[in-house]
Amino acid sequence: MPQPHLFSLTVRHYECDAHGWVHPAAMLGYMQEAAFSGSASVGYSARRYEQLGIYWLAYETELTVLKRITYGDSLVLHTWVHDMRRVRSLRKYEIYSEGHIVAHGSTDWVLIDIAKQYPMTIPPEMVVAYSQGDDVSEAPPRAPFGKISAPPAHAFTVQRRVEVRDIDTANHVNNAVYLHYAADAEQQALESAGWDAARFAQHNAALITTHHEVTYKVAAVLGDYLNVTTWADSLTEEGGVRYTLIKRAHDDKLVTQIRSVFAWADTR
């Protein structure tokens, strides 16, 4: 594989939740920044992509958290291009703290022609730049994330409007923001079931997400109203799985689907 690009950062206070743990959406942000930095290091900065009239659009992202990450932790992200196939490129990430791996993930990107707003074949010179001399066309086939079935009767739905703060430079909702939407819906679902923050505190308990699989279908833009539907499944004493479907309200188009694995945690 190509030599990993290293990207360092220190966890900021505003990236942590009420328990002091880094929110998964912030970690997706770290992965995005590492990808931009790695891209620039091989000659493809954001400015160059703008000049070429192309950009990368995320199709699938996964994140697995192995250890709690908290305010002030110094992190080093290792990122590299795992493969490049026609219009798509899989980038992988490993996140380290004090020499120990604390999380890992990947993003499957699609190269988009801005003028046509349609996928385009990755140019040969770009493949050469990202591969650094290694063959990135013969990686094993990727298994797509599974399709999420229709919500059960007990699923919880909340509607929200896309705000200015949610929009990135591509003029649509940033990839990481959807995890905030999912977390907000989860919190409201728990409250509707009688499990508000005070009740969790009484039990010295919290839910922590250990794995996310996010599939992006269509873009949501400023002013869109989104229906966020969420439900839990496969519950055990250790945790369970939460599914979230985010659809545009005006046409019921699926925007994003999220499968999250969570565990019960003792906050003491």
Side-chain angles (χ1 to χ4, degrees):
M1 72 179 187
Q3 186 70 21
H5 174 75
L6 305 187
F7 180 77
S8 301
L9 60 87
T10 300
V11 175
R12 276 82 66 166
H13 192 267
Y14 59 81
E15 295 166 335
C16 300
D17 63 15
H19 304 291
W21 308 332
V22 171
H23 194 283
M27 297 184 67
L28 289 194
Y30 300 163
M31 290 161 57
Q32 290 176 20
E33 285 299 313
F36 298 152
S37 178
S39 181
S41 73
V42 297
Y44 284 89
S45 64
R47 173 60 64 87
R48 185 174 182 190
Y49 276 118
E50 183 180 348
Q51 293 170 343
L52 293 170
I54 58 180
Y55 72 101
W56 291 101
L57 184 68
Y59 174 63
E60 290 180 338
T61 292
E62 66 173 334
L63 169 66
T64 299
V65 181
L66 304 174
K67 183 181 178 182
R68 297 178 192 175
I69 304 171
T70 60
Y71 169 58
D73 284 352
S74 295
L75 305 179
V76 179
L77 283 79
H78 296 208
T79 182
W80 65 94
V81 170
H82 182 68
D83 68 35
M84 302 189 94
R85 296 184 177 181
R86 202 167 67 82
V87 302
R88 292 165 60 181
S89 176
L90 184 68
R91 177 177 284 276
K92 293 198 170 186
Y93 312 83
E94 292 180 346
I95 303 176
Y96 291 84
S97 178
E98 298 182 350
H100 300 285
I101 188 168
V102 294
H104 59 80
S106 67
T107 302
D108 194 6
W109 298 92
V110 178
L111 189 63
I112 301 294
D113 182 310
I114 294 177
K116 297 178 180 179
Q117 283 298 294
Y118 199 77
M120 61 171 284
T121 301
I122 302 170
E125 61 273 18
M126 187 181 294
V127 176
V128 171
Y130 276 102
S131 65
Q132 303 172 53
D134 288 351
D135 188 353
V136 293
S137 63
E138 298 299 326
R142 307 176 220 150
F145 298 158
K147 182 179 179 181
I148 297 177
S149 58
H154 65 269
F156 179 88
T157 299
V158 62
Q159 187 173 94
R160 65 180 305 146
R161 183 180 186 274
V162 174
E163 305 292 348
V164 172
R165 63 178 175 270
D166 304 330
I167 301 299
D168 61 18
T169 56
N171 284 310
H172 54 57
V173 174
N174 183 266
N175 305 336
V177 170
Y178 291 109
L179 288 190
H180 283 307
Y181 291 172
D184 288 343
E186 176 187 41
Q187 181 61 35
Q188 292 181 58
L190 289 168
E191 289 173 358
S192 72
W195 281 90
D196 59 10
R199 187 172 180 186
F200 272 102
Q202 289 173 359
H203 292 270
N204 298 305
L207 296 179
I208 59 170
T209 305
T210 58
H211 181 74
H212 282 297
E213 295 176 0
V214 188
T215 303
Y216 308 98
K217 294 294 188 179
V218 300
V221 299
L222 182 64
D224 277 349
Y225 283 88
L226 303 176
N227 292 325
V228 185
T229 300
T230 186
W231 67 97
D233 196 4
S234 304
L235 296 174
T236 69
E237 293 182 355
E238 287 74 37
V241 178
R242 177 166 292 278
Y243 298 100
T244 304
L245 297 176
I246 302 176
K247 295 185 177 183
R248 287 194 307 226
H250 72 273
D251 61 4
D252 204 39
K253 277 276 191 180
L254 179 62
V255 174
T256 305
Q257 69 171 37
I258 304 171
R259 176 183 179 273
S260 304
V261 178
F262 65 87
W264 303 102
D266 190 329
T267 60
R268 287 173 291 190

